[in-house]
């Protein structure tokens, strides 16, 4: 199919298939049953297409067959194969299980983990066709994306992740044994509450440590503490603290590297009262937050890439005769329900479907490369009519995230097809106002609004540590920069603040400051619970 | 590529998380359990029907932007006839511009959902901090069952019990100690010989051949696996003390025991049964009902049958003694008894009953007497005939406890106090 001259979409490809030589390869399977042998053959056949023909670059893949219960398990621990123990995962499991049992939700067919080797869970209930679809989607689509996208390359270390999780699990279990479940739980609870404030959004020069070093460091700390222990120290009189020579705390702020957006990092390094093991727990939570951060920023692209890949791969396999007509139809049925996008007034509407948007954009880029309209030539002079759509897509998958990808590649034609329009919702207004629709005047505004909608740093509240005193009253001040008048939800803010105060150990203030004029809009405060 | 079948992995991977969650939500779950005891039908009390707890208190707060402040712009699909500048009135509350529905249909948010307890978890919480008094017999038990226990390794045994790891460890140690030549050593010599032959050095060839022959002989003399290496897993059968109990349910079936009173009694018996099944491998139940005479009956008759006549408590106690003698040797069985009555008894019979009871108490692990009465009959000053008589017995014996119940929701507290008291005494 790659050799054929780029056909205008549907009618021509039908013709092409009719005139194509009869299938040379026998179908890989018939019927719904699958076997381990067959999965291996299917994997290799997909590999031929995806890597050989489409030029994807993937981690070696580890396929794991699991039951529905194990899938629920995986859901509960954010998809990770091993995870430390915490009640919130038990809660999530119970919620998912209730929904599943009531039939409110069906389980995903697969789950894939950004690791090297790339772990891909397939449910045992899947039919042979679905396993094929799932392998093409996850083991090649997502896998390629994980391996090549710059965010993942920059922020996650796929080869070390499983080791790190293993370390985290053992470390938490160890802490529970040594310091009690309650103490560990309190620390983890507090750290979880600040998880979204535990990511670096821009690269910083911070040394990474390997899991081995981590446990070695911890062991050394412990041994040191034991070696140094002498009951005599206890009897020494406590020296009166030196008077602070830095009354404004200005020097201190510089030394602490304020302002700091990564609150967990700040606490781990500077919170005065934390024990070493608590710092390490915070560090674990922070690392996990950082690990998941790229996935939050690339939801549309990641799913779009995987969906595009499975669609393309399955069609090519069908063309070769490796898939029967029945299998292709079954796969397409599932495919079309995954990429369905109900309109805003439809009872099933639950916001924009990342699969639908992502897949539509990938198809659209392919169209622009192969059969551009005059409009496309205006909008996308670089890629329109370039021909090699896969090369363009591979570059896009590597170098963009959702926000920049949409800002760059959402075409007027797709906006018209999806009938996208942007609205402004102001809290005090009685009506929402349509600001732009899919017309000549509106394309750019709709595109900008949509890109912003997928910008994690624009959607998360912008919160920073701005002031911290390690002497004197030792208070900590965090600031929320209020943009467009959007304030924090007060009750959860107070709850989180209390957890923050628990970690900091002293009084904590949260100021909501207008980003436009710097005026203080509101203040919250929490005091650390008495130890 | 690598395919792994994970389906056979241990199932309870999330068990630790679940236990931690139950710990966390304990107060709410306990409330649900207590409600279940109070309000459920008698037959479903045994936890076979799942207990659901509505959980609210376990929050996981994060900083979030309040939906009702400021202004935000967002994109929605499916425009039909809007133009820029159109205004769409907001629905009365919640999502704007068709921005999905807030919350799930049945109003369960993330922090408020229904949690289903398993039977075991239910019972754990239900009987939390209760203990069976005198769980083991004071007398030495007859050894009833034998259980195989690991007991190290033996040099002899059936092939099925061969311990490969131990055997190979011995074999390796022996081979190293006796310097058994390895294949590699011989192969090296063979090479040496071939080399020497090629070089035409007859002396070296002969030396190599001799050495090879020596090594080969040595290999035969020190076998890879010698019978003295073999180790077998050894099991010893350990006698297990029998953990079986028999529970006697004694109930007054005279006309004064109305249906609601029987129902109260039944709930109490049910609890005791559940409690015993948790502690013992096998629990047998004997039902004895009495009017002026006593007979052993099946469960259905026990609770539902109607008899008429007066009340002679001693007949039931006598019957119990007979059954114990006939079927439940004291040294093999843990004997529990629970008696329910409305407290009526012929005054002539009271002394006889007390004497019989004194005779029974030493062979019982625990004897509980519950007096059921309708709420309006409850009065602190009103003491029934039987209550007054039993009180003297209660003062003498530590394994006898008595309580009054007049409403279903009193059962659990009474039950708890019965066993709490017995434990303190023990």
């Amino acid at each position: 199919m790659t050799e054929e001259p780029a056909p205008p979409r549907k009618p021509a490809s039908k013709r092409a298939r009719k005139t194509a030589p009869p299938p040379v390869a026998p179908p890989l399977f018939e019927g719904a049953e699958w076997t381990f042998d067959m999965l291996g053959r299917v994997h290799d056949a997909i590999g031929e297409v995806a890597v050989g023909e489409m030029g994807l670059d993937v981690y070696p893949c580890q396929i794991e067959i699991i039951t529905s219960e194990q899938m629920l398990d995986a859901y509960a621990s954010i998809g990770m194969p091993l995870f430390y123990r915490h009640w919130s995962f038990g809660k999530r499991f119970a919620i998912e299980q209730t929904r599943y049992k009531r039939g409110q939700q069906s389980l995903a067919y697969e789950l894939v983990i950004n690791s090297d080797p790339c772990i891909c869970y397939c449910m045992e209930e899947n039919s042979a066709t679905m396993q094929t679809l799932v392998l093409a989607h996850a083991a090649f689509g997502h896998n390629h994306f994980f391996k090549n996208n710059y965010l993942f390359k920059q922020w996650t270390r796929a080869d070390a992740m499983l080791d790190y999780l293993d370390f985290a699990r053992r470390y938490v279990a160890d802490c529970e044994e040594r310091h009690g479940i309650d103490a560990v739980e309190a620390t983890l609870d507090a750290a979880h509450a600040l998880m979204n404030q535990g990511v670096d959004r821009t690269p910083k020069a911070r040394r990474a440590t390997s899991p081995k070093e981590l446990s070695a460091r911890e062991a050394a700390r412990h041994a040191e503490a034991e070696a140094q222990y002498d009951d005599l120290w206890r009897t020494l009189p406590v020296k009166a603290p030196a008077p602070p020579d830095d009354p404004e705390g200005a020097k201190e702020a510089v030394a602490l590297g304020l302002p700091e957006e990564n609150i967990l990092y700040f606490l781990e390094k500077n919170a005065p009262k934390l024990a070493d093991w608590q710092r390490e727990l915070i560090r674990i939570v922070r690392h996990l937050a950082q690990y998941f951060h790229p996935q939050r920023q690339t939801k549309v692209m990641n799913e779009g890439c995987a969906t595009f890949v499975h669609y393309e791969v399955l069609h090519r396999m069908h063309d070769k005769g490796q898939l029967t007509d029945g299998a292709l139809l079954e796969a397409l049925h599932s495919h079309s329900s995954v990429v369905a996008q109900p309109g805003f007034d439809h009872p099933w509407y639950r916001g924009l479907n990342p699969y639908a948007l992502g897949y539509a954009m990938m198809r659209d880029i392919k169209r622009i490369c192969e059969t551009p309209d005059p409009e496309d030539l205006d909008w996308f002079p670089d890629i329109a009519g370039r021909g090699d759509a896969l090369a363009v897509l591979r570059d896009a998958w590597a170098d963009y995230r959702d926000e920049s990808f949409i800002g760059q590649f959402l075409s007027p034609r797709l906006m018209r097809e999806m009938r996208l329009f942007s609205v402004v919702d102001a809290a005090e207004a009685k009506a929402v106002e349509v600001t732009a629709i899919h017309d000549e005047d509106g394309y750019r505004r709709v595109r900008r609004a949509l890109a912003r909608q997928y910008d994690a740093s624009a959607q998360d509240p912008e919160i920073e540590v701005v002031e911290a005193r390690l002497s004197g009253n030792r208070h900590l001040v965090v600031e929320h920069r209020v943009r467009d008048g959007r304030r924090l939800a007060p009750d959860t803010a107070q709850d989180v603040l209390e957890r923050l105060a628990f970690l900091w150990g002293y009084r904590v203030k949260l100021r909501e400051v207008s980003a436009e004029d710097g005026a203080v809009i509101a203040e919250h405060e929490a005091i650390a619970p008495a130890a | 590529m690598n395919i792994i079948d994970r389906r056979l992995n241990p199932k309870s991977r999330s068990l630790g998380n679940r236990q931690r969650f139950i710990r966390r939500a304990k107060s709410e779950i306990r409330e649900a359990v207590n409600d279940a005891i109070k309000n459920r039908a008698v037959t479903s009390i045994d936890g076979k029907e799942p207990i659901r707890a509505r959980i609210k208190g376990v929050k996981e707060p994060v900083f979030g932007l309040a939906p009702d402040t400021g202004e935000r712009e967002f994109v929605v699909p499916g425009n039909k006839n809007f133009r820029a500048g159109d205004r769409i009135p907001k629905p009365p509350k919640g999502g704007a511009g068709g921005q999905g529905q807030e919350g799930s249909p049945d109003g369960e948010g993330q922090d408020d959902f229904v949690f289903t307890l398993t039977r075991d978890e239910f019972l754990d919480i239900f009987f939390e901090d209760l203990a069976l008094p005198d769980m083991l017999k004071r007398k030495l038990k007859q050894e009833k069952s034998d259980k195989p226990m690991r007991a190290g390794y033996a040099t002899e045994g059936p092939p099925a019990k061969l311990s490969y790891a131990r055997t190979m460890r011995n074999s390796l140690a022996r081979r190293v100690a006796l310097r058994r030549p390895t294949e590699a050593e011989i192969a090296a010599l063979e090479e040496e010989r071939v080399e020497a032959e090629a070089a035409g050095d007859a002396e070296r060839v002969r030396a190599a051949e001799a050495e090879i022959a020596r090594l080969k002989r040595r290999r035969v003399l020190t076998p890879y696996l010698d019978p003295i290496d073999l180790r077998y897993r050894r099991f010893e059968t350990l006698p297990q003390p029998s953990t079986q109990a028999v529970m006697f349910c004694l109930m007054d079936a005279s006309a004064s025991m109305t249906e609601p009173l029987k129902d109260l009694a039944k709930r109490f018996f049910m609890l005791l049964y559940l409690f015993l099944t948790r502690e013992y491998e096998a629990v047998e139940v004997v039902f004895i009902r009495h009017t002026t005479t006593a007979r052993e009956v099946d469960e259905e008759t026990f609770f539902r049958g109607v008899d008429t006549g007066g009340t002679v408590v001693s007949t039931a106690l006598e019957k119990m003694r007979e059954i114990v003698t006939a079927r439940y040797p004291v040294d093999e069985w843990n004997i529990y008894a629970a008696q329910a009555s409305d407290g009526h008894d012929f005054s002539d019979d009271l002394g006889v009953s007390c004497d019989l009871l004194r005779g029974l108490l030493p062979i019982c692990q625990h004897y509980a007497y519950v007096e059921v009465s309708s709420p309006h009959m409850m009065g602190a000053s009103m003491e029934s005939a039987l209550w007054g008589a039993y009180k003297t017995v209660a003062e003498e014996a530590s394994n006898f406890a008595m309580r009054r119940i007049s409403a279903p929701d009193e059962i659990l507290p009474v039950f708890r106090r019965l066993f709490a008291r017995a434990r303190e005494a023990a």
Side-chain angles (χ1 to χ4, degrees), chain B residues 370-385:
Chain B
V370 269
E371 194 163 296
V372 288
S373 53
S374 334
H376 59 270
M377 286 164 58
M378 279 293 276
S381 57
M382 273 183 60
E383 235 174 45
S384 70

Side-chain angles (χ1 to χ4, degrees), chain A residues 282-301:
Chain A
I282 293 179
R283 196 182 163 81
I284 288 171
V285 174
R286 183 167 73 78
H287 278 312
L288 291 174
Q290 193 75 60
Y291 172 80
F292 288 116
H293 194 54
Q295 307 204 2
R296 287 186 58 210
Q297 292 175 278
T298 54
K299 184 88 182 135
V300 169
M301 289 187 74

Side-chain angles (χ1 to χ4, degrees), chain A residues 3 56 118 168 202 383 419 422 460:
Chain A
E3 265 91 73
L56 300 189
C118 178
T202 48
I383 61 167
R419 309 193 74 77
S422 66
D460 286 348

Side-chain angles (χ1 to χ4, degrees), chain B residues 18 22 47 50-51 115-124:
Chain B
R18 187 178 169 90
I22 290 179
I51 304 291
F115 184 72
T116 309
L117 287 173
T118 65
R119 181 187 152 89
D120 281 349
E121 287 162 347
F122 162 69
L123 293 177
D124 271 344

Side-chain angles (χ1 to χ4, degrees), chain A residues 70-138:
Chain A
Q70 288 168 322
M71 184 58 102
L72 280 170
D73 254 353
Y75 271 26
S77 51
I78 338 182
M80 303 315 277
L82 60 168
F83 220 82
Y84 57 81
R85 297 199 182 289
H86 188 255
W87 62 267
S88 62
F89 306 134
K91 171 181 157 186
R92 211 157 299 147
F93 184 86
I95 294 175
E96 301 284 359
Q97 196 182 31
T98 314
R99 284 200 198 139
Y100 178 55
K101 282 194 176 157
R102 288 187 189 172
Q104 287 174 356
Q105 156 189 325
S106 56
L107 294 176
Y109 301 115
E110 46 77 27
L111 240 168
V112 57
I113 290 165
N114 168 26
S115 62
D116 179 12
C118 178
I119 296 180
C120 177
Y121 294 118
C122 300
M123 289 254 280
E124 61 169 347
E125 283 101 291
N126 294 349
S127 67
T129 309
M130 287 312 296
Q131 301 289 28
T132 312
L133 177 76
V134 159
L135 286 181
H137 182 91

Side-chain angles (χ1 to χ4, degrees), chain A residues 214-263:
Chain A
L214 289 181
S215 29
R217 193 173 62 193
E218 170 63 16
R221 253 184 217 158
H222 198 68
E224 176 77 5
E226 258 170 25
Q228 293 290 311
Y229 179 76
D230 191 328
D231 207 34
L232 263 182
W233 293 116
R234 196 172 44 80
T235 64
L236 287 180
V238 184
K239 232 201 240 167
D245 58 343
D246 183 22
E248 297 302 311
K251 275 189 217 160
E252 209 166 55
V254 172
L256 293 175
L258 296 181
E260 170 64 64
E261 59 166 0
N262 191 336
I263 298 183

Side-chain angles (χ1 to χ4, degrees), chain A residues 19-30:
Chain A
T19 54
V24 277
L28 287 166
F29 58 86
E30 283 180 57

